[in-house]
């Protein structure tokens, strides 16, 4: 007969505010205290199980045991994800919708996003030469917004770039915020869906011709399992789920710039724009710095795992940041060491900056390869294709802020191309 083990439990009525206060380190802090990679707490007024590590991630992505429907908090759906998007689906409905996204991730599409990222960096770099001071994060957002829209086939006139960039960035700035920032995020979600929904209506009515095989064309005419076109709101949510994450790569760009500045010995290895070295560097940026903190699911049924009892319907939280810094998985996890990815032998469950598991069938981010291409091109500009001075500034970042950013957002001066 299988022996049950009690799950270590955090005392208290609810720890939602504590999670917001401690941010990326909330789960790690408690796993260290409990000496367990699994513990129980209360979040959002309900029982929740928190986990970190490779085996926990492998469990979390077992579709026989976990579902995504009803797991994400309403405030996340109203800002970051949108309602009825692919992140909220399960089973065959999820696989069918995910296949739509994966159809956009061809080798040609990867080459195209790399070209567009280079194009907009080149335009920005020329402009930087005429400016006294550049804030990398603030410049990266419109740069990537333009690249995202052009790649997706979404028209974006130059005069609308600041407005649309503001809307899209508000979606990932706001889910963990309270007050005016969260309100701005909800308002931005409404505006984004109205903008993209109107465009999709125009495509379907032949008032606008979408580029063949573009995200706009594919999503506009995608049919669900019943053979029906997606309703306009859902189609707009999914188109935003292509563009918004690309703009959010601006967070990674800011941390990439920080690493270039703070790791001169690693920057030297990037000379000559070697693709392998660029790849190792940006993978370590994704592992080392905070980006998306956690993911949520619910148990699909009762089951026993490692002696722990999981009951149907239990909210379960996977710690992405903690897994990417787990001492059992990573040598010297608190050191920035890109060479760790040379002949790296990890698994899709040990390195999970944008989720884990299988891209095609599971819930791992479909756009991860886009992220890699944009980051490599951005790194090449920051390390090799521009010279600049770095003034004194506060480059520290807080684990309490979600998303976290260097406080100065990385300032450079006297850019030379």
């Amino acid at each position: 007969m299988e022996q049950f083990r009690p799950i270590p439990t955090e005392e208290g009525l609810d720890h939602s505010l504590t999670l917001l206060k401690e941010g990326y380190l909330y789960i790690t802090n408690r796993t260290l205290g409990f000496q367990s990679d699994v513990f129980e707490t209360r979040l959002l007024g309900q029982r929740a199980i928190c986990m970190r590590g490779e085996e926990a991630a492998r469990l979390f992505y077992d579709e026989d045991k976990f579902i995504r429907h009803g797991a994400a908090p309403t405030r996340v759906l109203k800002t970051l994800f949108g309602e009825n998007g692919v992140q909220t689906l399960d089973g065959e409905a999820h696989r069918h919708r995910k296949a739509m996204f994966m159809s956009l991730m061809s080798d040609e599409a990867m080459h195209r996003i790399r070209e567009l990222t280079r194009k907009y960096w080149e335009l920005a770099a020329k402009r930087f030469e005429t400016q006294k001071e550049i804030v990398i994060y603030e410049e990266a957002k419109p740069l990537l917004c333009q690249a995202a829209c052009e790649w997706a086939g979404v028209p974006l006139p130059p005069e609308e770039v600041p407005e649309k960039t503001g809307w899209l960035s508000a979606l990932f700035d706001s889910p963990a915020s309270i007050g005016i920032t969260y309100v701005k995020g909800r308002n931005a979600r409404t505006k984004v869906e109205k903008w993209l929904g109107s465009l999709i209506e125009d495509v379907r009515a032949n008032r606008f011709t979408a580029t063949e095989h573009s995200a706009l064309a594919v999503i506009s005419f995608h049919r669900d399992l019943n053979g029906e076109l997606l309703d306009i709101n859902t189609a707009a949510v999914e188109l935003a789920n292509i563009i918004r994450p690309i703009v959010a790569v601006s967070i990674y760009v800011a941390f990439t710039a920080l690493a270039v500045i703070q790791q001169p010995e690693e920057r030297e290895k990037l000379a000559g724009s070697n693709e392998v070295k660029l790849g190792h560097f940006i993978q370590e940026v994704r592992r080392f710095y905070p980006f998306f903190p956690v993911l949520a699911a619910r148990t699909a049924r009762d089951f026993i795992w490692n002696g722990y009892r999981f009951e149907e319907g239990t909210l379960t939280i996977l710690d992405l940041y903690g897994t990417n810094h787990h001492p059992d998985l990573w040598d010297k996890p608190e050191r920035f060491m890109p060479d760790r990815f040379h002949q790296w032998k990890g698994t899709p469950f040990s390195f999970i900056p944008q989720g884990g598991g299988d891209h095609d069938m599971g819930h791992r981010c479909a756009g991860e390869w886009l992220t890699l291409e944009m980051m490599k091109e951005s790194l090449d500009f920051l390390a090799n294709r521009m010279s600049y001075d770095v003034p004194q500034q506060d480059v520290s970042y807080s684990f309490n802020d979600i998303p976290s950013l260097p406080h100065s957002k990385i300032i450079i001066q006297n850019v030379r191309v």
Side-chain angles (χ1 to χ4, degrees), residues 62-77:
D62 183 340
E63 293 189 9
D64 180 56
K65 294 182 174 67
F66 286 94
I67 58 174
R68 298 304 186 270
H69 181 71
T74 300
R75 64 171 31 243
V76 173
L77 298 178

Side-chain angles (χ1 to χ4, degrees), residues 206-227:
N206 292 318
R207 293 189 295 267
F208 180 82
T209 302
T211 303
E212 189 177 10
H213 305 308
S214 67
L216 174 59
V218 169
I219 292 172
S220 292
F221 295 110
H222 176 73
R223 294 182 180 273
D224 63 20
L225 289 172
N226 296 320

Side-chain angles (χ1 to χ4, degrees), residues 15 52 94 120 125 145 169 182 190 205 208 228 311 368 379:
H15 296 280
R52 72 167 184 162
H94 173 261
Y120 285 105
C145 183
S169 59
Y182 176 67
T190 300
F208 180 82
E228 300 292 333
E311 297 178 356
E368 193 166 10
L379 172 60

